[in-house]
Amino acid sequence: MADETTGNTYDDVPYYSYAYPQTHPDRLNVIAHLFGMTPTPVENCRVLELGCASGGNLLPMAEALPGSTFLGIDRSGRQIDDGQKILKESGLKNVELQHCDILDFPKDSEPFDYILVHGIYSWVPEPVQKKILDICKRHLTPQGVAYVSYNIFPGWHMRGMLRDMMVYHSGQIADPALRVAEARALIDFLQGAVATQDSAYSRLLQDELKLLKRVNDSYVFHEHLEDHNEPVYFHQFNDRLKQAGLQFLGEANFHTMMARNFPEKVAATLQKVSGNNIIRMEQYMDFVRNGHFRQTLMVHNSIPLKRDVGGRPITDLFVACAAMPAEGADPSPANAGPTAYKLPNGRQFNTTKSVLKAALPIVRGAWPDAIGIQDLAEQVHEQASPRTGDRSLSVDEVAAVLSADFVQLYSLGVAEIRPRSLGVEKTAGDKPKVSDLARLYAKTGGPLINLRHETIKLNDMGRNILGLLDGERTRDMVLSDLVDLATSNKIKVQRSGQVISDPDTLREVLVKPIGDTVSSLANQGFLVGG
Ligand SMILES: C[S@@+](CC[C@H](N)C(=O)[O-])C[C@H]1O[C@@H](n2cnc3c(N)ncnc32)[C@H](O)[C@@H]1O
């Protein structure tokens, strides 16, 4: 057992602490808003994260929202120490990381507007699970929203079978790295043993092996080899919410709540069997998807929720969408037929709506940031003078139309709704700047998180370049600094497998990667204003 080493598996094998956009107060705020609540503005809120590891999720939130305060707790002293070192260097004053067990969370703590619990609930014993929901009930402000992620059935019946075998095979091994290696080796062996069979078991092993190859050892250790891993059916989790005095608000991935995203016949049957009951609907959708993980938002049970999403305008919110017209499509608002749009991830959607067609290029122009619906409506109105039938629409009417259209796109999972603009600088000038925390993480090997709260992977050279973009250095100075780093052997620059040390050759070789990295950082939402 790994616990024989320190008594805390997360001290022995720290978890890579990343940012999770689905936990961001922006997301929680918007979904609460859509269901008729008046959540606390994210620019001035209090956030608690339980099991924050070394703060990879909380610190970037705190930097992006300087008017809000953030508290993270974790029972792993080693992870909190790591986080505190970064925190001290970052100079952030609005975030605190505390070494504290969830069970010892003080009853008299101040309330929070947003409580985040990611990757913990299923992996802790029942008293801690109960305490997590107690904390959500006791410490949420009246319009507060909590996020809890957890493993679910039916999907975990299949994954759990593999976990049982991995635990059986590696359970006697004390060294965590060896345990993980043995667990991986077992699945590898089993998959090979049944590879030629045309069976569900063979396909299951193949899928798990593919997943295991993509994830790091820390993930395998904590996901599969922890002592506790207790999945539940969604309806059982909902019963626990009720017992705690909470209620289901929605899922952090909003579009997963929409039965109409399934084929028509499936959606119709789902409607029939769920009888307009949202809990039954969610449960049946898990059955259809063989769901294995949920990211549920919850609020006080006394809040009257309005489920007619789209019925109320969201003109005070912001929208973002990276869609471009698909090849050959006619995006002109005057074209009354359907126009196909394509997202960078390959997803497509169609619209016949002329106001939306006029809006989408403006929204694309604002990407990777979001644009306020009111601002968007004014621009659409100015450019296109939209009409309904014989009548021209006023700016407010355009805003109302766009509200409904973007709620629909959000429900499809092809556009974002946000409560604010992210302050992304889109033009990469001569002195590009990324946030202080991103530069610090680039130097310390931490996660690289953009203003959209996404973790982005960069190669070593990308990291080195990002670490120098402080808004003071020109691109030429960045080049000189990189050349200095390479000639003093602090970084390695290669061409055709040969390490380069000649300064002139280095200058020649490094110009392009600097230009490319800066452009790609601009597109990915890393650049901030000077
Ligand atoms: C799988 S990690 C998830 C970390 C982070 N939330 C994330 O998703 O990246 C689980 C975290 O919960 C912490 N944890 C487990 N039991 C805890 C408890 N009883 N009190 C506080 N933290 C706990 C662990 O130390 C670890 O950092």
Side-chain angles (χ1 to χ4, degrees):
M1 295 275 299
D3 271 5
E4 281 167 19
T5 41
T6 64
N8 185 326
T9 55
Y10 287 93
D11 283 342
D12 296 335
V13 187
Y15 202 72
Y16 290 99
S17 194
Y18 295 122
Y20 298 96
Q22 67 275 30
T23 69
H24 199 285
D26 281 358
R27 183 81 66 98
L28 278 50
N29 175 292
V30 163
I31 294 173
H33 197 113
L34 289 176
F35 286 124
M37 292 175 61
T38 42
T40 307
V42 296
E43 293 86 351
N44 188 8
C45 68
R46 282 173 50 81
V47 180
L48 168 67
E49 184 171 25
L50 304 177
C52 64
S54 50
N57 195 32
L58 217 49
L59 268 54
M61 285 179 190
E63 189 185 46
L65 299 169
S68 299
T69 54
F70 297 80
L71 169 64
I73 69 158
D74 200 289
R75 75 190 274 263
S76 157
R78 176 171 168 190
Q79 295 186 122
I80 289 292
D81 282 352
D82 290 348
Q84 276 170 350
K85 276 184 209 135
I86 292 283
L87 182 53
K88 200 166 161 210
E89 271 192 73
S90 75
L92 288 170
K93 297 281 178 260
N94 59 337
V95 54
E96 211 182 309
L97 300 178
Q98 284 177 8
H99 182 201
C100 170
D101 197 298
I102 288 167
L103 289 172
D104 301 326
F105 189 75
K107 281 200 162 77
D108 58 355
S109 160
E110 296 280 305
F112 296 88
D113 303 300
Y114 301 98
I115 299 182
L116 322 175
V117 198
H118 183 63
I120 293 153
Y121 186 85
S122 298
W123 297 268
V124 288
E126 198 203 325
V128 185
Q129 291 186 332
K130 209 168 170 303
K131 180 77 185 196
I132 288 173
L133 297 185
D134 285 351
I135 292 173
C136 293
K137 176 67 191 171
R138 180 185 275 266
H139 298 284
L140 267 185
T141 51
Q143 291 285 319
V145 185
Y147 163 108
V148 177
S149 64
Y150 51 101
N151 287 339
I152 50 165
F153 294 129
W156 257 91
H157 279 303
M158 288 162 78
R159 297 199 76 201
M161 180 173 110
L162 301 180
R163 166 189 144 82
D164 289 348
M165 293 190 268
M166 287 191 254
V167 168
Y168 176 78
H169 178 63
S170 67
Q172 304 306 316
I173 304 169
D175 177 52
L178 207 58
R179 256 194 103 181
V180 170
E182 278 300 320
R184 284 183 192 273
L186 176 73
I187 300 299
D188 209 4
F189 158 70
L190 293 174
Q191 195 271 334
V194 299
T196 54
Q197 287 178 14
D198 179 21
S199 68
Y201 185 52
S202 169
R203 284 188 290 277
L204 172 67
L205 283 164
Q206 245 174 45
D207 286 351
E208 191 65 23
L209 196 65
K210 261 192 232 154
L211 179 95
L212 287 180
K213 284 195 169 139
R214 278 204 316 268
V215 296
N216 58 44
D217 281 5
S218 158
Y219 174 89
V220 178
F221 187 76
H222 296 297
E223 176 80 7
H224 287 293
L225 306 178
E226 285 286 348
D227 285 350
H228 292 276
N229 187 335
E230 191 238 5
V232 284
Y233 280 99
F234 171 69
H235 70 88
Q236 295 171 320
F237 186 75
N238 187 60
D239 287 345
R240 294 182 190 180
L241 290 190
K242 280 202 276 192
Q243 273 162 24
L246 296 160
Q247 66 173 319
F248 175 68
L249 171 71
E251 283 295 296
N253 287 328
F254 185 77
H255 64 279
T256 64
M257 299 178 70
M258 303 295 139
R260 62 174 179 269
N261 290 337
F262 286 104
E264 218 170 294
K265 270 191 172 167
V266 178
T269 308
L270 282 169
Q271 291 292 0
K272 208 162 100 191
V273 289
S274 61
N276 249 346
N277 176 313
I278 189 166
I279 303 304
R280 285 173 67 83
M281 172 60 89
E282 290 290 318
Q283 183 57 80
Y284 281 109
M285 287 198 292
D286 282 354
F287 293 162
V288 174
R289 294 188 184 108
N290 190 26
H292 62 88
F293 189 58
R294 269 187 175 267
Q295 305 177 112
T296 291
L297 310 186
M298 57 203 70
V299 296
H300 288 292
N301 57 1
S302 53
I303 305 260
L305 297 175
K306 297 179 185 143
R307 295 290 184 188
D308 60 331
V309 170
R312 292 167 303 284
I314 52 157
T315 45
D316 49 342
L317 297 183
F318 292 69
V319 292
C321 181
M324 305 266 256
E327 222 180 284
D330 172 7
S332 154
N335 160 26
T339 303
Y341 291 84
K342 195 169 179 182
L343 292 164
N345 65 11
R347 282 205 60 188
Q348 286 212 9
F349 64 92
N350 290 304
T351 187
T352 53
K353 297 174 175 171
S354 59
V355 176
L356 185 58
K357 287 183 193 179
L360 281 168
I362 303 170
V363 178
R364 181 68 184 86
W367 183 267
D369 209 331
I371 177 169
I373 292 208
Q374 201 62 42
D375 180 7
L376 179 62
E378 276 162 30
Q379 292 191 43
V380 168
H381 191 262
E382 206 165 289
Q383 282 184 13
S385 302
R387 304 171 71 83
T388 297
D390 295 336
R391 207 169 60 78
S392 289
L393 299 181
S394 69
V395 172
D396 284 351
E397 284 167 332
V398 173
V401 169
L402 287 174
S403 272
D405 289 351
F406 273 93
V407 168
Q408 236 178 39
L409 296 187
Y410 190 58
S411 305
L412 282 172
V414 295
E416 298 170 1
I417 303 180
R418 294 184 174 271
R420 65 190 173 108
S421 152
L422 304 172
V424 175
E425 174 62 57
K426 288 192 294 292
T427 323
D430 190 40
K431 291 181 178 176
K433 182 175 181 183
V434 301
S435 81
D436 294 348
L437 189 63
R439 272 186 290 118
L440 184 58
Y441 274 134
K443 286 180 188 151
T444 54
L448 299 178
I449 294 149
N450 64 12
L451 296 183
R452 297 167 44 75
H453 204 62
E454 297 158 333
T455 306
I456 306 288
K457 291 212 160 51
L458 288 186
N459 62 20
D460 287 349
M461 183 50 72
R463 243 174 209 274
N464 291 328
I465 295 169
L466 189 155
L468 294 168
L469 303 182
D470 57 3
E472 302 287 325
R473 290 175 170 89
T474 60
R475 292 181 192 220
D476 205 43
M477 288 156 85
V478 171
L479 177 60
S480 300
D481 284 353
L482 281 180
V483 171
D484 287 350
L485 289 170
T487 50
S488 56
N489 288 328
K490 294 203 175 91
I491 62 170
K492 215 194 270 181
V493 181
Q494 295 188 342
R495 186 162 62 178
S496 315
Q498 297 285 329
V499 177
I500 310 171
S501 51
D502 168 57
D504 288 339
T505 318
L506 280 166
R507 287 188 81 83
E508 194 188 304
V509 167
L510 286 169
V511 170
K512 187 167 174 344
I514 293 175
D516 290 351
T517 303
V518 170
S519 307
S520 114
L521 291 174
N523 292 334
Q524 287 170 322
F526 267 101
L527 299 189
V528 296

